[in-house]
Amino acid sequence: MIEIFQNYGDALLRGFGETILCSIIALIFALIIGSGFAILESTPIRWLRIIARAYIELFRNIPLLVITMFFYVVIPMYVLDISGFVAGTIGLILYSSAFIAETVRAGIQSVDTGQMEGARANGLTFWQAMRYIILPQAFRYVLPPLGNQFINLVKNSSVLAFVAGFDLMYQGNVIASDSLQSMSTYMCVGVLYLIITLPLSYYMRYLEHRLS
Amino acid sequence: MWDNLVNAYSFINIRFLMEGAWVTVQVSVISIVLSSIFGMILGIVRYVRVKILSAVLGFVIDIIRNLPLILIMFFTYFGLPNIGFKPVPFWAAIIALTIFESAMIAEIVRAGIESIPDGQMEGARSNGLTFWQTLRYIIVPQAIQNMIPALVSQFISLVKDTSLATIIVLPDLMNHAQIIYGQNTNYTIPMFIALAVMYFVVCYALSLLSNYFERRLQRNGAVVEEDISEVGTN
């Protein structure tokens, strides 16, 4: 393992950086899109709810790999030439946003309905009540599950290896076939993934404990 | 475009896709059965707190849960031959999925058992049942009821995750679709539609099942101390 780190440290670190970069980009967009659909699903307007539901169910029930490959194979063929990194990140955003929407929706629903009624009765519009009353309360409640979604996102970012996204997993494959030491290479890759995910997962567990 | 659509779904192609789907179903079902068994055992060991074993196990489970599944597939496919066992892709995929999902399910089981109020255990013990009898007849049956929604969502991700096994050349649905559109690029879009539809139908049916259980659970007013619906699912 140490040998691999010495000989291929550069490539591994570059992959590590790409994985973090793509995870953070995907997290930001997935949070925005996911929260958006979660709010749409909580509106009183029926057709907005149906659209949100359809989006969430669609991307939750199709494998991430299928979504990612679609953007990697089909979009460059007919629409726009995008790199593997971009295709992978778009796939991650769509897939994760559906899960984040589900999480945030659960959070919104966990806020007592009296809060919304009270806010509306005090003259706030639906959006104002959402923005100033419901969401701040919901977000505190959904922070641990959101953190878990982020951990999943980091792990899922390994699909970039399928689409030449130059992430950690991809670099791992390249190094494994170059050094002919697949086991120790994948162990190095595993350690690097754990550096991101393990502390996060312990922190989320701590947060969960403190909340309950 | 229309021609492509008709040709893409020719009898031969559909049969080829179905062969792949059959492999996906086999891998999913075997992995679900195996990981349920192992997950259950591991979860109970975690709950019971055998001195060193549970702590070590907890750490190993945490490590597995926090690794990408693709990496675990590489370990089983490229790593196991190092210790003298060379699995074909079919079994390498099943072993990897079982390892990963057992760890996930173990956490669900542990949380499920811990969600049963302590009074149940205390009551049963003071009525003369041994610890294991209580676990077997009082705690686990109630816990399973609470766990079912989380378990079903875990199985949904398992079905979706089988597609990742194309990277170790498992001839599953995803792989067969790739072969078809690899031979004729005009079939790309039809194949992605077929993939999306087939995975969606299976996973959505499972998620409806999960919703049904969840509703029934709420109606029955199940005893839950801690919300476990968020554990693990992806």
Side-chain angles (χ1 to χ4, degrees), chain B residues 30-40 98 101-102 105 158:
Chain B
I30 298 176
S31 307
I32 285 176
V33 171
L34 289 180
S35 56
S36 299
I37 297 171
F38 288 121
M40 199 67 168
T98 304
E101 301 295 338
S102 299
I105 290 173
L158 192 153

Side-chain angles (χ1 to χ4, degrees), chain B residues 36 41 94 168:
Chain B
S36 299
I41 296 171
I94 288 176
I168 55 171

Side-chain angles (χ1 to χ4, degrees), chain B residues 24-64:
Chain B
T24 296
V25 169
Q26 283 176 305
V27 170
S28 305
V29 171
I30 298 176
S31 307
I32 285 176
V33 171
L34 289 180
S35 56
S36 299
I37 297 171
F38 288 121
M40 199 67 168
I41 296 171
L42 293 177
I44 290 176
V45 174
R46 284 273 284 148
Y47 169 74
V48 174
R49 304 206 178 163
V50 191
K51 252 185 187 162
I52 304 163
L53 183 64
S54 292
V56 173
L57 202 65
F59 188 62
V60 173
I61 287 176
D62 280 339
I63 286 186
I64 294 174

Side-chain angles (χ1 to χ4, degrees), chain A residues 60 95 155 197 202 205, chain B residues 62 65-66 82 160 178:
Chain A
R60 241 160 56 106
Y95 185 76
K155 291 193 296 172
T197 53
Y202 282 126
R205 200 172 295 170
Chain B
D62 280 339
R65 275 161 48 88
N66 285 300
N82 287 359
K160 288 185 296 179
Q178 282 177 318

Side-chain angles (χ1 to χ4, degrees), chain B residues 52-208:
Chain B
I52 304 163
L53 183 64
S54 292
V56 173
L57 202 65
F59 188 62
V60 173
I61 287 176
D62 280 339
I63 286 186
I64 294 174
R65 275 161 48 88
N66 285 300
L67 283 175
L69 177 57
I70 302 177
L71 190 66
I72 297 174
M73 283 185 177
F74 281 130
F75 270 123
T76 55
Y77 191 58
F78 295 112
L80 285 180
N82 287 359
I83 54 168
F85 173 60
K86 195 173 181 337
V88 291
F90 183 78
W91 287 106
I94 288 176
I95 296 170
L97 281 165
T98 304
I99 293 174
F100 184 72
E101 301 295 338
S102 299
M104 291 300 206
I105 290 173
E107 273 310 282
I108 296 176
V109 170
R110 189 190 56 79
I113 295 179
E114 280 174 4
S115 73
I116 304 298
D118 293 337
Q120 296 282 322
M121 173 60 91
E122 288 156 9
R125 291 304 298 280
S126 56
N127 274 300
L129 272 72
T130 66
F131 179 79
W132 290 108
Q133 282 175 332
T134 313
L135 214 55
R136 163 80 184 74
Y137 296 106
I138 311 289
I139 307 290
V140 171
Q142 297 183 69
I144 284 185
Q145 223 194 2
N146 291 353
M147 290 179 317
I148 283 177
L151 279 180
V152 176
S153 359
Q154 196 57 48
F155 295 151
I156 295 173
S157 37
L158 192 153
V159 173
K160 288 185 296 179
D161 286 344
T162 55
S163 63
L164 296 175
T166 46
I167 209 164
I168 55 171
V169 215
L170 176 75
D172 70 336
L173 180 56
M174 182 78 205
N175 180 268
H176 278 195
Q178 282 177 318
I179 291 174
I180 293 175
Y181 73 69
Q183 286 170 346
N184 187 339
T185 46
N186 288 328
Y187 295 168
T188 310
I189 289 182
M191 279 308 119
F192 272 99
I193 295 174
L195 275 179
V197 168
M198 286 165 98
Y199 279 112
F200 183 84
V201 166
V202 176
C203 296
Y204 189 61
L206 278 172
S207 82
L208 288 180

Side-chain angles (χ1 to χ4, degrees), chain A residues 63 78 99 128 177:
Chain A
Y78 296 100
F99 285 93
Q128 283 173 333
S177 55

